[in-house]
Amino acid sequence: MNLNSRRKLKPKDADRFADAEPALFRELAKVVCATGMLPQKELHECWQMANVVHKTFPESLHIADMAAGHGLLAWILVLLARSSEIPILRTAVAVDINRPKSADALAVSITDRWPNLVDAVHYVEGSIDAVIAEDGPGTLLVAAHACGSLSDRVLLAAITSRCPVAIMPCCHSLRKQAATLSSLALASGLPPSAAAVGNTASIDQFRIDALAALGYQISEGSIQTDITPFNRIIMGKPPRETSHSVPVHQVSGSGGRVKRLGEIRAFEKIQSLNVANIEEAQALSKRPSREWLRSFDLSYWVDDEAMGHRIAATLDFLTQRFQLPQSSGHSAAPAPVDAAMVANITIRDQYIHPTSQRLAFTYRIEIRSSTVVITKDDAALLRKKLCRALRSLAQMHHANFALRGE
Ligand SMILES: C[S@@+](CC[C@H](N)C(=O)[O-])C[C@H]1O[C@@H](n2cnc3c(N)ncnc32)[C@H](O)[C@@H]1O
């Protein structure tokens, strides 16, 4: 069997695992084949890494699989604990900036085969940079092939919350990891120069030294090299008591960026994710993964502050009744269009003209939807409708407010 094959296992491949040992691996392989979406390499990689990690942390009750991809590592760690001689009801949270379709397919296949695992793993789409674990040593952070700086960021998250940690790093690059290695140096009190040698082994050694300097008890393991050359597993148990408080580090680097597509902000960023809180993870795992957001400003000359606030209330009233045209955007899910959009009005600023002393209010109109793409035209149409409606109201009530710049 070619252990490092990137070919996706399909249902017809299940027969190839008929004699595989142990029985749990055989069952798991069949389930992965049934999913039809995971490469063979990942099955062996995650199985072997999970076994090494489980052996080192057999009593760990809760796991956070960082940069989880399909989430297979999390599922296997849960399975191993629950099927051990003295079963442990281990749970896990999988975190990745992008939850692939295969993660959902895998969850369905696994819970079909092991129904008692329903709700054992929750997958949250978010950045590992937001991760904290309020129960510290109670949550084991694991990461398989969190590339380059991601592995450093997993270590930083572990250090910050004083979690046990197990990483199998890959894609080492001194240049790309400069910021996160400096953060590790800062956190551990090692001189930054200690990281300034660039090969894979020395970067890993620096990671080990940083954990050790903080009192972590280090152990190492590996998986077969014919699965991957990046087969080294670094594990650390935090010291029982810390006399010094661990600084919370702001990790600089590429993490946590909000993707911008023109004016549309896709992906609502989670600022802080407490992976120790299973209810929180469960709630976040159900949120829509993408949200479409557009905003524009409107500025009005007004008589006084009271009028400025009345206009805000009117804008609020009008936008709640605005419907996205059926033709616009691509509906990702069949939902009533008006229920799909949420509008929010805020007063951005008040301005007094230096010579005329005239007062102006600027309003930020924000529209968002998780089911319908809000186009630029939708935003422009809403703007036009709001301006027209306010103009008619001003005429009707002989009110003295007017759009700035007209
Ligand atoms: C090489 S894959 C490893 C996936 C999985 N652990 C495995 O072994 O199959 C790296 C993963 O990191 C994820 N990733 C990249 N940046 C991230 C971030 N800031 N926070 C969380 N996940 C991130 C990617 O989406 C990708 O799934």
Side-chain angles (χ1 to χ4, degrees):
M1 198 178 282
N2 191 1
L3 298 186
N4 65 1
S5 167
R6 289 178 193 274
R7 192 179 70 79
K8 286 185 182 150
L9 288 167
K10 297 289 174 193
K12 64 178 167 40
D13 294 313
D15 291 347
R16 292 168 44 211
F17 295 93
D19 300 323
E21 292 292 345
L24 186 61
F25 176 68
R26 189 161 62 237
E27 285 301 300
L28 176 75
K30 284 187 202 161
V31 168
V32 169
C33 290
T35 309
M37 296 175 90
L38 270 67
Q40 176 163 319
K41 174 176 178 281
E42 314 243 323
L43 169 65
H44 297 291
E45 215 163 67
C46 290
W47 172 258
Q48 292 200 7
M49 176 171 178
N51 275 276
V52 172
V53 173
H54 178 64
K55 218 168 159 186
T56 310
F57 301 95
E59 280 153 21
S60 205
L61 275 173
H62 187 58
I63 309 277
D65 184 359
M66 309 276 274
H70 319 290
L72 184 56
L73 183 61
W75 283 111
I76 301 176
L77 281 164
V78 164
L79 262 177
L80 287 173
R82 292 184 182 218
S83 49
S84 60
E85 231 167 84
I86 303 167
I88 294 175
L89 281 184
R90 184 180 278 165
T91 49
V93 174
V95 183
D96 199 292
I97 200 84
N98 174 39
R99 176 163 76 192
K101 285 204 173 76
S102 55
D104 293 337
L106 180 68
V108 169
S109 304
I110 290 199
T111 50
D112 277 353
R113 169 61 188 80
W114 290 285
N116 61 331
L117 294 194
V118 169
D119 281 344
V121 176
H122 297 294
Y123 201 120
V124 179
E125 202 167 44
S127 172
I128 59 165
D129 297 328
V131 166
I132 54 155
E134 271 176 3
D135 68 344
T139 300
L140 166 64
L141 305 191
V142 298
H145 291 168
C147 327
S149 77
L150 285 177
S151 282
D152 299 329
R153 284 141 69 183
V154 173
L155 295 183
L156 285 161
I159 291 167
T160 302
S161 295
R162 228 162 52 86
C163 298
V165 64
I167 57 169
M168 182 163 70
C170 67
C171 309
H172 306 65
S173 158
L174 197 57
R175 186 177 57 79
K176 292 187 188 157
Q177 287 173 240
T180 50
L181 290 174
S182 304
S183 295
L184 267 181
L186 199 69
S188 60
L190 293 180
S193 57
V197 263
N199 62 32
T200 300
S202 60
I203 289 177
D204 280 344
Q205 190 54 50
F206 175 75
R207 289 164 162 159
I208 290 170
D209 293 345
L211 288 175
L214 287 161
Y216 271 73
Q217 187 192 324
I218 308 295
S219 57
E220 287 196 55
S222 62
I223 66 170
Q224 284 174 252
T225 37
D226 42 0
I227 302 174
T228 171
F230 294 111
N231 66 335
R232 186 178 187 182
I233 303 173
I234 299 169
M235 292 169 285
K237 290 183 186 168
R240 271 181 203 279
E241 298 290 330
T242 40
S243 49
H244 59 282
S245 63
V246 182
V248 176
H249 293 278
Q250 200 64 45
V251 182
S252 52
S254 59
R257 246 180 322 177
V258 175
K259 230 187 262 173
R260 281 187 184 278
L261 305 172
E263 280 176 48
I264 302 166
R265 186 176 348 142
F267 203 95
E268 177 127 63
K269 190 176 165 188
I270 297 174
Q271 300 295 343
S272 172
L273 169 62
N274 177 15
V275 287
N277 185 334
I278 300 174
E279 287 78 34
E280 183 182 321
Q282 184 169 18
L284 285 168
S285 71
K286 292 188 167 59
R287 82 195 175 123
S289 62
R290 270 169 220 297
E291 191 166 62
W292 304 95
L293 183 141
R294 273 183 191 275
S295 60
F296 56 87
D297 291 349
L298 280 178
S299 198
Y300 275 89
W301 294 114
V302 294
D303 279 352
D304 51 28
E305 280 196 31
M307 182 183 273
H309 288 288
R310 275 204 303 279
I311 292 179
T314 308
L315 284 170
D316 195 34
F317 175 85
L318 292 170
T319 47
Q320 300 313 328
R321 273 140 198 84
F322 178 75
Q323 297 202 349
L324 287 171
Q326 289 284 358
S327 56
S328 86
H330 323 279
S331 181
V337 171
D338 49 345
M341 197 193 76
V342 178
N344 186 35
I345 312 292
T346 46
I347 296 172
R348 276 203 79 199
D349 74 55
Q350 298 178 34
Y351 162 82
I352 298 176
H353 191 276
T355 49
S356 69
Q357 301 294 302
R358 230 176 150 193
L359 176 65
F361 266 57
T362 301
Y363 310 93
R364 165 69 46 99
I365 293 99
E366 196 178 76
I367 42 178
R368 55 172 73 214
S369 167
S370 54
T371 50
V372 175
V373 179
I374 302 177
T375 66
K376 222 173 180 174
D377 288 346
D378 294 330
L381 184 66
L382 174 60
R383 191 179 192 285
K384 209 164 144 188
K385 282 191 171 187
L386 292 176
C387 293
R388 199 184 300 147
L390 282 179
R391 201 179 305 124
S392 324
L393 279 174
Q395 281 165 2
M396 224 183 325
H397 298 289
H398 307 290
N400 186 23
F401 60 84
L403 195 61
R404 255 175 92 186
E406 271 195 344

